[in-house]
């Protein structure tokens, strides 16, 4: 009988003692709870500076701190996206040496499981057998709204898209509150089923209440100084109380190094400016960030803890405050309502009711001390009953078992925006498994041999190659083409010069395969590109074309990452290597033809838009499998603003109804980032394309500045002046 311990891998951006916060606290208690239930638990958390893995074991839990720069993808992926890739890389390393875990759990925050789940759904070895549970904590796309972050600005928009996709791609979703499920539903209309599982929490020693003290002598705000945590309406409400004669001070526990976008300053600075008089008068006292031990000491005689969030999942601050016998006054706008019962184990107010906060402050202040003591006792009991490890584990185990049951390797590929998969007859698809590769050719004799060599060196051998000579007039190129035809025996199609679109379309008319690919005669492909793409097309019935990342060569050594082409971003700017895709030919012949009216280029992007509009969805292999030659005289190098404006307008008018469906988001993207043709990569912000910005030393300097209040303040001041 197999006595092997079940393996549970937990990936996270936060884990104590390196990081605090709700996600870190959740991961600490989840790991501890599972370890006590005899799971072999490993926690993966990124190191900020180390280039090697650091592995430690604490209380039976293995912690892997890994380098976030090992694969070097940060050079062409933004910080969050490259971190997701590094998570996938370290998980691959450990699976190759140790085998698969029984379950891998991730947070949705920052989309850290993005590439793990991409590899899973793209049939990568080991990943395709991985069972993934996703726990909803604090989705950026929702919290941007609460914190007044410009959500359509890049890279914020892209981070939200990564999170949305992870939510759609996991085997099973769970969340600590029903509140968060309802809150994200408008952002993901086709949200899969989410199981609510309470947060695990236990402490080593039971709280001993001191009934000789009155907690109402101490009033604390406990949380990050962010709009989402309700600091803005809280301070406004307490100013009204002080003006009306309230004498007690309010203590603020929480860090203020959180950027307040509307005012272009840290929240700490905003509080100091807005409530300077109250601070000078000793009514508002700022304690800054405190460790759990420090804040517990501050409130050891009991306190009223204010948690006025304008929207929150299920803050651990509520649990920690209740278990320590404090009086909690929280807003109704969050998961805390799922444990707090007004006047029984705490108090609730409603941001949507005028003066609700102030009224509840007076209710608490006026209650008999005996009732306050009873509420404190009930507060402790409510946490012990709802959040104890045994109770939570029983519910978590059902989620784990459900993930295993729902996992299957051949499920449809998940997309954020849903559409109906087109219906077609099998007889329309062409010769089974045959890949027809179309090479449009015009005076490219200097390069085409490399192109054909890469095609015929492919590990996918069931191919036919069709070269369309689009009226070449360079005699040297014509001679090269004849020589190569004798060598490779490809099909040569001749036509008068009609342009790139017509040449591609002509090649398709001569293609007889089930699958179709294009490759320009100055580019090359890696040997595995075709086989990897066709594997996906064969296994995913709702995928009809496949792209990859690009490696530049000749005049550039850079890279270009492609992404799953989905609206609204697809309509804003091209996000896939549209001139080197592999298709199920049926999709192209139905809705993929290149439009010759786009004589200045981007005809391949318009083709992708038309495919997606009609339900023929595509994916991207996150590997550099296409080599894209950068030439001084190439069509792309000769784009002008005017050519692009013509092409963008033409595409929008041709697909007006499709654009109209996404008009709100498109307007937001344009207002936040400027014209789409100026954006090359959604993982970076428009102010991040500074040549030295990807330098690791610069990143370290920025991190250093963030940790030094004086330097940070000066840097933000300079930034605000630049942006004005």
């Amino acid at each position: 009988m197999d006595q092997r311990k079940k393996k549970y891998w937990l990936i996270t951006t936060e884990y104590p003692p390196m990081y605090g916060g709700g996600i870190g606290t959740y991961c600490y208690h989840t790991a501890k709870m599972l370890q006590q239930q005899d799971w072999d638990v490993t926690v993966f958390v990124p190191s900020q500076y180390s280039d090697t893995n650091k592995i430690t074991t604490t209380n039976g839990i293995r912690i892997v701190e890994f380098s976030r720069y090992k694969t070097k993808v940060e050079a062409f992926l933004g910080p969050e996206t490259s971190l997701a890739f590094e998570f996938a890389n370290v998980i691959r390393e450990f699976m190759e040496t140790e085998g698969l875990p029984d379950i891998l759990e991730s947070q949705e925050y920052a989309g850290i499981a993005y590439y793990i789940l991409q590899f899973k759904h793209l049939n990568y070895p080991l990943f395709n057998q991985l069972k993934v549970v996703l726990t909803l904590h604090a989705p950026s796309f929702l919290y941007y709204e609460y914190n007044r972050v410009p959500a359509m600005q890049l890279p914020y928009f892209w981070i939200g898209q990564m999170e949305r996709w992870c939510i759609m791609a996991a085997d099973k979703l769970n969340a600590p509150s029903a509140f968060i499920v309802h809150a994200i539903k408008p952002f993901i209309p086709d949200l899969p089923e989410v199981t609510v599982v309470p947060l695990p929490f236990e402490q080593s020693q039971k709280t001993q209440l001191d009934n000789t003290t009155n907690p109402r002598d101490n009033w604390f705000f406990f949380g990050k100084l962010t709009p989402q945590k309700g600091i803005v309406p809280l301070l406004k409400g307490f100013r009204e109380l002080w003006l009306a004669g309230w004498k007690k001070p309010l203590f603020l526990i929480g860090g203020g190094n959180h950027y307040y976008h509307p005012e272009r300053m840290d929240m700490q600075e905003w509080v100091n400016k807005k409530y300077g008089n109250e601070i000078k008068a000793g009514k508002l006292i700022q304690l800054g960030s405190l460790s759990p031990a420090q804040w517990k000491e501050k409130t050891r005689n009991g306190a009223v803890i204010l948690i006025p969030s304008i929207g929150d999942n299920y803050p651990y601050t509520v649990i920690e405050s209740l278990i320590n016998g404090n009086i909690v006054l929280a807003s109704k706008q969050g998961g805390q309502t799922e444990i707090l019962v007004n006047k029984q184990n705490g108090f609730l107010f409603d941001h949507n009711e005028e003066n609700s906060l102030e009224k509840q402050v007076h209710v608490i202040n006026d209650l008999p001390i005996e009732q306050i003591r009873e509420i404190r006792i009930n507060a402790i009991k409510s946490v012990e009953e709802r959040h104890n490890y045994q109770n939570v584990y029983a519910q978590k185990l059902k989620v784990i078992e459900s993930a295993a049951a729902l996992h299957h390797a051949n499920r449809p590929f998940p997309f954020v925006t849903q559409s109906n998969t087109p219906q077609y007859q099998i007889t329309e698809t062409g010769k089974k498994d045959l890949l027809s590769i179309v090479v449009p050719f015009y005076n490219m004799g200097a390069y085409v041999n490399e192109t054909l060599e890469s095609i015929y060196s492919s590990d996918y051998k069931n191919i036919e190659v069709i070269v369309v000579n689009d009226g070449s007039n360079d005699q040297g190129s014509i001679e090269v083409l004849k020589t190569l035809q004798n060598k490779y025996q490809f099909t040569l199609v001749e036509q008068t010069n009609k342009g790139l679109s017509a040449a591609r379309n002509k090649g398709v008319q001569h293609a007889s395969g089930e699958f179709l690919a294009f490759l320009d005669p100055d580019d090359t492909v890696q040997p595995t590109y075709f086989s990897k793409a066709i594997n996906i097309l064969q296994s995913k019935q709702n995928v009809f074309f496949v792209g990859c990342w690009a490696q530049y060569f000749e005049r550039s050594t850079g890279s270009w990452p492609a992404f799953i082409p989905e609206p609204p971003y697809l309509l804003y700017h091209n996000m896939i290597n549209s001139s080197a895709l592999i298709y199920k030919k049926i999709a192209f012949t139905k809705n993929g033809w290149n439009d010759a009216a786009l004589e200045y280029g981007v005809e391949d992007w318009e083709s992708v838009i038309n495919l997606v509009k009609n339900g023929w969805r595509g994916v991207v292999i996150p590997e550099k499998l296409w080599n894209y030659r950068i030439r001084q005289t190439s069509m792309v190098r000769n784009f002008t603003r005017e050519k692009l404006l013509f092409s963008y307008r033409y595409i929008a008018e041709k697909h007006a109804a499709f654009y109209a469906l996404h008009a709100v988001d498109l307007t937001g993207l344009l207002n936040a980032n400027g014209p789409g043709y100026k954006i090359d990569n959604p993982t970076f912000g428009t102010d991040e394309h500074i040549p030295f910005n990807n330098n690791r030393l610069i990143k370290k300097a920025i991190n250093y500045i963030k940790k030094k209040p004086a330097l940070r303040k000066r840097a933000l001041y300079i930034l605000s002046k630049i942006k004005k």
Side-chain angles (χ1 to χ4, degrees), residues 541-584:
Q541 295 302 306
N542 67 330
V543 173
F544 295 91
F545 62 93
V546 177
C548 66
W549 290 354
Q551 174 63 60
Y552 298 147
F553 71 109
E554 192 169 292
R555 297 182 65 89
S556 173
T557 59
S559 306
W560 185 68
F563 303 99
I564 301 169
E566 293 200 73
Y569 194 86
L570 172 63
L571 305 179
Y572 175 64
H573 182 68
N574 192 13
M575 56 197 304
I576 193 170
N577 59 316
S578 47
S579 65
L581 300 176
I582 294 94
Y583 310 77
K584 291 175 181 173

Side-chain angles (χ1 to χ4, degrees), residues 155-424:
Y156 304 131
F157 172 79
W158 181 249
I159 297 166
Q161 288 296 93
M162 289 171 61
E163 292 173 337
R164 288 181 178 94
W165 189 83
C166 289
I167 288 170
M168 297 299 295
D171 290 307
K172 180 61 182 174
L173 303 174
N174 69 146
S177 73
F179 172 86
I180 198 70
V181 180
H182 294 304
I184 68 175
K185 183 72 174 176
F187 295 85
I188 309 178
D190 296 302
L191 179 69
E193 181 185 29
V194 184
T195 301
V196 175
V197 178
L199 297 168
F201 186 87
E202 283 187 359
Q203 56 184 19
S204 55
Q205 293 183 336
K206 288 204 169 190
T207 302
Q208 300 297 320
L209 289 181
D210 182 356
N211 288 326
T212 64
T213 62
N214 189 342
R216 294 170 293 184
D217 293 335
N218 307 297
W219 294 72
F220 289 87
F221 164 81
F222 184 19
K224 293 184 290 188
L225 295 188
T226 63
Q228 177 258 329
K229 290 296 184 181
I231 190 65
V232 176
L234 173 69
L235 294 181
K236 182 180 178 183
F238 263 77
R239 174 175 276 175
E240 295 296 323
L241 284 166
W242 287 320
L243 289 173
W246 181 260
K247 301 298 183 184
K248 297 176 182 178
L250 174 63
F251 296 87
L252 302 185
I253 298 177
N257 288 338
H258 301 284
Y259 193 61
Y260 190 24
H261 286 264
E263 300 297 336
R264 291 182 174 175
M265 64 179 69
D266 275 343
M267 282 300 301
Q268 186 72 68
E269 184 181 357
W270 179 82
V271 170
N272 292 340
K273 283 187 174 183
K274 186 81 172 178
Y275 294 92
N277 291 334
E278 287 81 358
I279 292 171
K280 290 178 182 177
K283 296 176 181 178
L284 184 61
I285 301 170
Q286 301 176 82
L287 300 177
S289 296
L290 301 181
S291 69
Q294 288 173 323
W295 89 261
K296 194 171 182 179
E297 174 62 24
K298 280 287 182 184
T299 61
R300 63 187 176 88
N301 293 324
V304 179
I305 305 295
L306 294 127
I307 301 174
S309 50
I310 61 171
D312 218 340
N313 187 342
Y314 195 114
Y316 258 104
T317 50
V318 171
I319 297 172
E320 293 166 338
S321 298
L322 291 173
I323 197 69
N324 288 316
N326 294 307
I327 296 294
V328 173
L329 171 57
S331 70
K332 289 184 177 181
Q333 282 69 35
Q336 56 265 19
T337 60
E338 293 163 41
I339 188 172
L340 286 173
V341 180
N342 197 47
K343 292 187 180 180
Q344 292 187 27
N345 64 343
F347 296 85
L348 292 166
F349 74 94
D350 193 336
H351 282 296
N352 296 320
E353 294 180 10
E354 188 174 2
N355 300 323
S356 178
L357 168 64
E358 295 92 317
K359 290 175 184 177
Q360 286 294 69
V361 166
H362 286 298
V363 167
I364 294 170
N365 197 55
D366 295 340
L367 282 178
I369 189 64
E370 292 79 12
Q371 192 170 347
I372 290 293
R373 289 170 182 162
E374 182 180 347
I375 291 171
R376 295 177 74 188
I377 292 169
N378 291 339
I380 295 170
K381 287 181 179 178
S382 63
V383 174
E384 291 175 341
E385 291 172 0
R386 179 181 175 87
H387 295 285
N388 70 82
Y389 284 176
Q390 185 175 357
N391 176 40
V392 174
Y393 178 72
Q395 297 178 63
K396 187 74 172 184
L397 187 59
K398 292 179 181 179
V399 169
I400 294 169
E401 292 170 346
S402 178
L406 290 170
H407 164 83
H408 58 93
N410 292 323
R411 63 183 279 197
F413 192 90
F415 293 98
V416 175
T417 54
Q418 299 303 302
S419 63
N420 293 324
T421 299
Q423 300 299 310
Y424 59 94

Side-chain angles (χ1 to χ4, degrees), residues 462-520:
N462 189 10
I463 64 173
E464 65 173 2
V465 179
I466 302 151
V467 177
V468 180
N469 182 15
D470 186 39
S472 295
N473 54 19
D474 173 66
Q475 194 58 41
S477 292
I478 295 171
E479 292 299 324
V480 167
L481 203 56
K482 290 179 179 178
T483 300
L484 292 174
Q485 187 187 20
N486 290 330
K487 178 180 179 180
Y488 292 114
Q489 299 299 305
F490 53 75
T491 300
L492 179 61
V493 178
E494 301 277 1
Q495 69 175 24
T496 58
N497 183 251
K498 296 179 180 178
L500 182 58
S501 294
R504 286 186 181 138
N505 292 343
K506 186 73 170 181
V508 175
Q509 292 169 5
H510 287 78
S512 57
E514 178 184 3
F515 304 109
L516 172 69
F518 294 107
L519 189 63
D520 287 347

